[in-house]
């Protein structure tokens, strides 16, 4: 007999109610034990808030407008009540449940329906994902309404959460690995390794259930299944990286483009982004290049794609993004925004995983098979002076900085550790003024935690927004800030309050981008508040003229795209 979706919703409700990790793991393990073989992967994906396994490229493409339209029609409840329920709970799923509960029609209907099973829910999600093209919005709505029309308020809560991809039960993938290990009696490290290699714990669990430890020990990388990339920690400077790596290390130029994982099997090539989505269609020339140059039947390679100007110098990141998101008129964009690939790692080749091999060995093999594709520039040194010079060279060439890589380090999938350090020259922080703020989501839904930051126009005296951030302040500071801003509010619009420009904050950021979002035409990228400058008045804050100067200076090093 198929397991009812209700059981999964009840499990998630229990997970949400506790923060005890051991209890969570036991609850999930117990649940997994009683599933049919074909229910294991769908159930695991859903518990983790995904419609499909991680490597699966299908997406639901359901906007909030579509979803809320369906909820409105199904429940026939005044929409103001939804907004109220959302403000109270800070959670769309929980607000949906409240709506369903107050809708009598809904409750009566479900008394006579056959309960929806986990597999039926998965099939509905598949049907939604597969609906595309003309009229797809109406068809998606119809599918959503059929599914939601058959379920109880509690089930609706979790179906909506799965569709928007936000579970918020606190039960993450790491805990799922423990639960799978417990449920199917396979050592935790074996589960972990298999999950890393295949990129999906759901599939690993299904194999653990049917074929046990032996089955999952045999799992290997599979070409066209993207894997989680190794990540870098930030080092303050070159000396820190050298010291942590035992006095000798490899430095590579850190390019400011997009990280790509390239999978090749014979003539077939696919390119995945850092977030593991398939971006092959955006880069036909990289596909051709890989096919022609890479000397291996099967390979998983990593590198950075950057946009280059007419003289071959790198362009600011934002130009590149135009290319990355592009899905139409690709060949035209190939000509207008040329890109270049620089490889920096080799993870798998012709049936053999290289992840346990030391970095230097992987790089050597990479060089052997890369043909005419350039590798990121690299030096191996113990000299801080030589490394400083290399950093200067990277910056002068328009790159972001350096990555230091420990010579004997394995490739640690998905881990941000000290084996890779990024070293950047950061831009000087700005003192900006808070002019408005928004209430956050989830845990922060009662706090004004998202701040609009403005710089003063020295000519008109007006404060112009240059960015927005929810990063940098501690919970205590946010609470205190909420109180101050609520008291000072001169206007409230939905979840936003507008305040007079009074509070000055010091803001770090990575780049000033051109942006139509704000009146001044610029926006800070990755803004984060370093501290509140109680000692500064708004008149002493930095000016929009200074921000513009910083923006223009970036171009001195990077060619301007025309
Ligand atoms: P971050 O994204 O800030 O953690 O910095 C690491 C990122 O730097 C990687 O995800 C890559 O996209 C990028 N990167 C640029 N050049 C290199 C390089 N030579 N080696 C590794 N990562 C690089």
């Amino acid at each position: 007999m198929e397991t009812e979706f209700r059981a999964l919703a009840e499990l998630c409700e229990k997970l949400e109610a506790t923060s005890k990790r051991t209890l969570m793991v036991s609850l999930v393990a117990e649940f997994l034990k009683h599933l049919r073989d074909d229910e294991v992967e769908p159930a695991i994906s859903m518990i983790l808030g995904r419609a499909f396994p991680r490597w699966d490229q299908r997406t639901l493409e359901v906007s909030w407008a579509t979803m809320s339209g369906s909820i409105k029609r199904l429940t026939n409840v005044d929409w103001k009540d939804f907004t109220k329920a959302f403000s109270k709970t800070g959670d769309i799923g929980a607000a949906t449940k409240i709506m369903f509960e107050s809708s009598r029609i809904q409750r009566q209907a479900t008394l006579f329906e056959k309960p929806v099973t986990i597999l039926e829910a998965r099939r509905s999600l598949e049907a939604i994902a597969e609906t595309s093209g003309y009229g797809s919005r109406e068809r998606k709505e119809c599918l959503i309404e059929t599914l939601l029309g058959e379920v109880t308020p509690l089930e609706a809560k979790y179906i909506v959460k799965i569709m928007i991809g936000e579970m918020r039960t606190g039960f993450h993938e790491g805990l799922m690995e423990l639960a799978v290990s417990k449920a199917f009696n396979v050592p935790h490290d074996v589960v972990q390794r298999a999950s890393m290699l295949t990129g999906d714990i759901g599939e690993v669990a299904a194999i653990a259930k049917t074929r046990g430890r032996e089955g999952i020990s045999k799992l290997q990388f599979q070409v066209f299944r993207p894997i989680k990339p190794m990540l870098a920690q930030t080092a303050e400077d070159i000396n820190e990286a050298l010291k942590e790596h035992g006095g000798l290390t490899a430095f590579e130029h850190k390019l400011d483009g997009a990280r790509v994982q390239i999978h090749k099997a014979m003539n077939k090539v696919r390119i995945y982004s850092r977030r593991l989505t398939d971006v092959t269609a955006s880069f036909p020339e990289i596909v051709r290049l890989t096919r022609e140059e890479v000397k291996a039947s099967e390979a998983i390679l990593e590198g950075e794609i950057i946009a280059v100007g007419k003289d071959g110098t790198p362009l600011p990141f934002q130009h590149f993004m135009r290319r990355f998101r592009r899905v139409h008129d690709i060949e035209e964009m190939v000509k207008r925004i040329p890109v270049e690939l620089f490889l920096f790692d080799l993870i798998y080749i012709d049936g053999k995983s290289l992840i346990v091999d030391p970095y230097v060995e992987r790089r050597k093999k990479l060089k052997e098979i890369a043909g005419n594709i350039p590798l990121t520039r690299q030096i191996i040194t113990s000299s801080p002076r030589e490394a400083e010079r290399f950093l200067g060279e990277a910056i002068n060439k328009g790159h972001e900085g350096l990555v230091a890589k420990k010579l004997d380090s394995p490739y640690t999938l998905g881990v941000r550790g000290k084996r890779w350090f990024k070293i950047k020259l950061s831009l000087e922080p700005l003192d900006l003024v808070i002019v408005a703020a928004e209430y956050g989501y989830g845990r922060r839904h009662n706090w004004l935690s998202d701040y609009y930051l403005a710089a003063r126009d020295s000519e008109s005296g007006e404060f112009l927004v240059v960015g927005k951030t929810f990063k940098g302040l501690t919970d205590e500071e946010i609470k205190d800030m909420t109180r101050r801003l609520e008291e000072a509010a001169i206007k409230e619009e939905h979840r936003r309050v507008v305040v007079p420009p009074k509070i000055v904050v010091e803001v770090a950021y990575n780049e000033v981008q051109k942006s139509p979002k704000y009146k001044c035409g610029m926006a800070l990228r990755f803004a984060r508040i370093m501290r509140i400058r109680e000692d500064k008045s708004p008149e002493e804050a930095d000016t929009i003229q200074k921000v513009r100067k910083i923006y223009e200076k970036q171009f001195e090093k990077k060619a301007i795209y025309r």
Side-chain angles (χ1 to χ4, degrees), residues 252-255 259 274 304 344 376 405 416 422:
E252 291 182 19
H253 281 180
K254 183 176 194 302
L255 313 181
R259 182 174 195 160
R274 178 193 170 121
E304 191 88 357
F344 58 72
T376 44
K405 298 185 178 176
R416 189 182 296 285
K422 48 190 170 186

Side-chain angles (χ1 to χ4, degrees), residues 229-234 251-260 274 302-306 342-345 359 363 375-378 399-405 416 420-422 424 510 526:
M230 178 165 178
L231 302 168
Q233 248 183 41
T234 306
F251 291 97
E252 291 182 19
H253 281 180
K254 183 176 194 302
L255 313 181
D256 187 17
R259 182 174 195 160
V260 285
R274 178 193 170 121
E302 263 204 317
E304 191 88 357
I305 296 183
I306 58 168
F342 290 84
L343 291 171
F344 58 72
D345 222 315
Y359 157 78
R363 177 123 181 157
L375 308 199
T376 44
R377 257 183 59 70
Q378 180 231 47
H399 301 308
E400 237 185 340
L402 300 179
V403 183
K405 298 185 178 176
R416 189 182 296 285
W420 283 13
F421 278 115
K422 48 190 170 186
K424 288 190 216 171
N510 285 30
F526 297 136

Side-chain angles (χ1 to χ4, degrees), residues 45 54 73 78 96 102 121 123 128 137 152 154 168 176 194 223 275 327 352 355 362 365 369 392 394 436:
S45 295
R54 186 202 283 284
R73 274 189 297 278
D78 191 339
T96 304
S102 25
R123 281 193 289 275
I128 295 169
R137 178 171 170 168
T152 61
L154 179 69
R168 298 223 191 115
M176 185 59 92
V223 186
R275 304 185 60 193
V327 279
K352 189 175 175 301
I355 53 169
R362 297 198 308 274
K365 280 217 180 79
I369 64 142

Side-chain angles (χ1 to χ4, degrees), residues 179-446:
V180 169
S181 150
K182 193 168 165 144
F184 305 121
N185 228 345
V186 178
H188 179 225
D189 58 333
V190 178
V191 172
Q192 236 179 351
R193 176 189 165 276
S195 163
M196 256 170 19
L197 293 181
T198 57
D200 189 63
I201 178 69
E203 188 186 14
V204 170
I207 296 171
K209 182 167 193 297
T210 49
R211 287 187 261 146
R213 176 181 181 160
E214 208 189 324
I216 63 170
S217 300
K218 283 203 196 109
L219 288 175
Q220 253 308 344
F221 284 127
Q222 281 181 50
V223 186
F224 309 125
R225 285 281 183 90
I227 42 174
K228 284 192 235 165
M230 178 165 178
L231 302 168
Q233 248 183 41
T234 306
E236 212 161 296
D237 52 25
I238 276 167
N239 288 325
E240 185 189 348
L242 270 172
K243 194 168 140 248
E244 289 284 350
H245 289 176
L248 178 73
T249 195
F251 291 97
E252 291 182 19
H253 281 180
K254 183 176 194 302
L255 313 181
D256 187 17
R259 182 174 195 160
V260 285
Q261 209 177 92
I262 305 178
H263 291 224
K264 172 182 187 285
M266 305 311 285
N267 259 340
K268 191 172 165 207
V269 172
R270 302 224 66 91
I271 304 174
Y272 302 94
S273 73
R274 178 193 170 121
R275 304 185 60 193
L276 315 188
T277 44
D278 190 327
V279 292
T280 314
S282 302
F283 300 106
E285 74 274 57
I286 302 294
V287 172
R288 288 193 284 268
L289 186 72
T290 308
R291 215 178 268 150
E292 281 160 21
E293 297 295 335
V294 173
K295 297 186 180 38
S297 314
E298 274 195 359
I300 301 179
L301 310 129
E302 263 204 317
E304 191 88 357
I305 296 183
I306 58 168
V308 285
K310 293 210 174 76
D311 58 355
T313 47
L315 296 169
F317 184 74
Q318 65 182 118
H319 290 301
F320 177 68
M321 284 318 283
R322 308 215 317 238
R323 180 68 200 276
F324 206 73
R325 292 204 195 102
R326 196 70 176 203
V327 279
H328 303 295
D329 306 326
I330 304 285
E331 288 299 339
E332 169 63 18
M333 285 311 258
V334 168
K335 280 191 227 123
R336 280 187 54 207
I337 306 183
V339 297
E340 221 173 302
L341 167 68
F342 290 84
L343 291 171
F344 58 72
D345 222 315
L346 177 62
I347 297 165
Y348 169 89
I349 182 163
D350 295 335
K352 189 175 175 301
S353 152
L354 301 185
I355 53 169
V356 292
D357 293 13
Y359 157 78
V360 273
E361 294 292 326
R362 297 198 308 274
R363 177 123 181 157
K364 195 167 144 237
K365 280 217 180 79
L366 175 64
K367 194 155 179 48
E368 284 164 16
I369 64 142
N372 285 317
I373 305 175
L375 308 199
T376 44
R377 257 183 59 70
Q378 180 231 47
I379 59 165
I380 295 178
T381 186
S382 59
S383 151
R385 279 191 57 190
E386 199 182 335
E388 285 296 346
R389 235 181 288 132
F390 194 56
L391 173 61
E393 177 196 298
I395 300 291
N396 282 328
K397 284 205 147 97
H399 301 308
E400 237 185 340
L402 300 179
V403 183
K405 298 185 178 176
K406 196 165 188 294
L407 300 178
D408 59 0
S409 59
Y411 190 95
T412 48
L413 294 146
V415 176
R416 189 182 296 285
K418 289 178 186 293
R419 288 161 171 155
W420 283 13
F421 278 115
K422 48 190 170 186
I423 304 155
K424 288 190 216 171
L425 282 189
S426 53
L427 293 162
E428 166 196 5
L430 288 166
D431 290 328
L432 301 171
V433 186
I434 296 177
V435 290
E438 278 171 11
Y439 288 97
Y441 290 95
R443 208 168 57 81
R444 294 178 160 192
H445 75 279
N446 275 328

